[in-house]
């Protein structure tokens, strides 16, 4: 099921907190849902993400948990690999949404500085 996620990022005292709102969907959702998503997340048995990334050019973040338990996060301009803790219920969803929020905050900051 696709969900709207709001991530509230902390701020310095006296500065309003930043919020990022985006649509997150699992990679096994119907295509009509996946094509609307800002963040795609899920399990990926073979660990490759190239084809999925290519088929969803509007997606800002792709987070996939591989068979080794690592979460590989792909975004425009970079990638990162995370080792989630044992208590994380859906580590790919969490990682994807947090990366999206951080990227949005960085973009907003750059725009304010210009």
């Amino acid at each position: 099921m696709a969900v709207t996620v709001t991530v509230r990022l902390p701020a310095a005292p006296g500065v309003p907190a930043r919020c990022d709102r985006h649509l997150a969907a699992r990679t096994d959702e119907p295509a009509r849902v996946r094509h609307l998503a800002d963040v795609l997340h899920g399990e990926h048995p073979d660990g490759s993400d190239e084809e999925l990334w290519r088929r969803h050019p509007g997606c800002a973040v792709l987070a996939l948990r591989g068979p080794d338990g690592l979460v590989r996060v792909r975004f425009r301009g970079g990638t990162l690999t995370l080792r989630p803790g044992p208590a994380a219920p859906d580590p790919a969803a969490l990682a994807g949404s947090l990366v999206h929020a951080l990227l949005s905050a960085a973009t907003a900051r750059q725009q304010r500085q210009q």
Side-chain angles (χ1 to χ4, degrees):
M1 167 176 30
V3 296
T4 300
V5 178
T6 301
V7 178
R8 185 174 181 266
L9 298 170
V15 176
R18 300 230 10 113
C19 289
D20 171 57
R21 191 170 192 170
H22 58 271
L23 182 68
R26 290 192 48 83
T27 55
D28 57 2
E29 293 284 341
R32 61 183 165 70
V33 175
R34 290 191 319 264
H35 287 292
L36 296 173
D38 303 303
V39 175
L40 285 174
H41 59 87
E43 304 285 326
H44 212 286
D46 67 4
S48 90
D49 63 2
E50 189 63 40
E51 178 64 19
L52 192 58
W53 186 245
R54 187 189 62 74
R55 285 186 289 145
H56 298 88
C59 175
V61 178
L62 173 62
L64 299 173
R65 186 171 188 183
D68 55 4
L70 298 176
V71 176
R72 287 162 183 84
V73 182
R74 188 170 189 168
F75 51 94
R76 308 287 168 209
T79 61
L80 59 98
T81 301
L82 303 169
R83 181 180 308 279
D90 191 346
L94 178 61
S97 285
L98 289 175
V99 168
H100 190 278
L102 293 171
L103 291 171
S104 294
T107 300
R109 183 175 180 191
Q110 288 173 350
Q111 290 172 347
R112 283 194 310 269
Q113 291 177 346
Q114 292 177 354

